[in-house]
């Protein structure tokens, strides 16, 4: 299926634009240890961590969810700027898309203030119309609310004219729920039936491929 050129692009943040798996692994290791649970391996982190703390910690930690949340964010904040790394080609991609006049925004399940602190640290904040993180909207991704907040003020409504670019199932589900065009940005091609809700999903292997896909429409 041929795509139409997007009117706006929404990006996931963690491990779509920046490499944060080691940071997330560290924070979960500290939290799970403090909760007297077996820490997860990095491979387990990569398959299990999708939802925001608001949506996952109450199920994981029950009555100790508030304590676990405090420990997690304290551990995260101690290292995240030092360990934060842009994924290869991301800055060039953002520059090219910005130069093309496309509104760009982020919809992440990272706590909003931490997301914006990381964007400031990288010098990327001016490239984005809005950076929406966990707790910024009434619900977190994959709900529709953060998508609507990210587009607020652009004059563009959610729909197929908006591309949602991410690397995980929750990103593709958010795209489907909001009616946006799902675009999977990762080296590995999607497995058969990996994203059953994401009709019309397009896969690109790199930031270079994404820019070419967008600017040639």
């Amino acid at each position: 299926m041929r795509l139409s050129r997007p009117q706006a692009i929404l990006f996931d943040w963690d491990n779509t634009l920046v490499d944060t798996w080691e940071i997330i692994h560290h924070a979960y290791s500290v939290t799970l240890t403090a909760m007297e649970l077996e820490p997860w391996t990095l491979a387990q982190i990569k398959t299990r961590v999708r939802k925001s703390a608001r949506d996952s910690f109450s199920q994981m930690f029950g009555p100790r969810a508030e304590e676990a949340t405090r420990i997690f964010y304290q551990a995260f904040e101690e290292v995240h700027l030092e360990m934060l790394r842009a994924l290869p080609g991301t800055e060039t991609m953002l520059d090219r898309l910005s130069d093309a006049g496309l509104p760009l925004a982020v919809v992440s399940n990272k706590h909003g203030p931490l997301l914006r602190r990381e964007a400031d640290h990288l010098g990327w904040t001016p490239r984005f119309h809005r950076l929406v993180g966990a707790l910024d909207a009434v619900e977190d991704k994959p709900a529709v609310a953060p998508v609507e907040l990210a587009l607020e003020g652009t004059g563009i409504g959610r729909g197929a004219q908006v591309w949602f670019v991410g690397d995980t199932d929750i990103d593709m589900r958010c795209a489907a729920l909001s009616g946006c065009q799902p675009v999977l940005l990762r080296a590995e091609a999607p497995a058969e039936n990996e994203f059953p809700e994401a009709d019309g999903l397009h896969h690109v292997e790199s930031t270079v491929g994404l820019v070419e896909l967008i600017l040639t429409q």
Side-chain angles (χ1 to χ4, degrees):
M1 182 181 73
R2 181 169 176 81
L3 299 175
S4 298
R5 185 162 175 163
Q7 295 179 20
I9 305 172
L10 306 180
F11 289 97
D12 172 49
W13 182 255
D14 290 308
N15 307 301
T16 295
L17 301 181
V18 295
D19 183 354
T20 57
W21 282 125
E22 293 287 354
I23 307 170
I24 295 167
H25 184 216
H26 166 76
Y28 267 95
S29 295
V30 171
T31 305
L32 290 167
T33 298
M35 296 292 104
E36 300 177 345
L37 297 170
E38 185 73 22
W40 295 346
T41 66
L42 181 59
Q44 289 171 324
I45 288 288
K46 289 183 177 182
T47 60
R48 295 176 180 177
V49 175
R50 296 289 185 270
K51 297 180 179 180
S52 66
R54 169 166 63 174
D55 288 342
S56 62
F57 274 28
S58 59
Q59 184 177 14
M60 289 175 63
F61 302 113
R64 300 185 70 186
E66 185 174 341
E67 178 188 1
T69 300
R70 177 182 56 78
I71 293 169
F72 177 87
Y73 282 119
Q74 181 177 346
F76 193 97
E77 289 188 59
E78 286 174 353
V79 300
H80 76 124
L81 295 183
E82 178 184 349
M83 296 176 66
L84 182 67
R85 299 289 183 271
L87 285 167
T90 298
E91 192 158 13
T92 299
M93 174 189 70
L94 295 175
D95 283 342
R96 290 191 65 188
L97 296 178
S98 295
D99 290 346
L102 287 167
L104 310 178
V106 169
V107 176
S108 172
N109 274 341
K110 171 167 283 170
H111 192 210
L114 294 180
L115 167 66
R116 290 181 284 276
R117 195 176 305 160
E118 291 182 359
D120 283 344
H121 179 74
L122 293 169
W124 291 359
T125 299
R127 294 172 171 85
F128 294 106
H129 168 72
R130 186 160 288 164
L131 293 134
V132 177
L135 302 181
D136 289 337
V138 294
E139 294 179 287
D140 299 326
K141 189 171 64 176
V144 169
V147 171
E148 293 180 333
L149 181 58
L151 292 171
E152 192 174 279
T154 64
I156 302 167
R158 58 185 177 87
Q161 72 279 4
V162 176
W163 289 16
F164 195 116
V165 181
D167 68 313
T168 68
D169 53 345
I170 203 166
D171 299 318
M172 300 302 98
R173 183 162 184 249
C174 186
L177 290 173
S178 58
C180 298
Q181 170 62 51
V183 179
L184 181 69
L185 175 58
R186 71 181 194 193
E188 303 82 14
E192 187 175 358
N193 297 321
E194 184 178 358
F195 305 105
E197 295 176 277
D199 291 338
L201 178 146
H202 274 254
H203 168 241
V204 289
E205 297 181 353
S206 67
T207 54
V208 172
L210 180 63
V211 171
E212 291 177 353
L213 180 65
I214 292 169
L215 298 186
T216 57
Q217 301 304 318

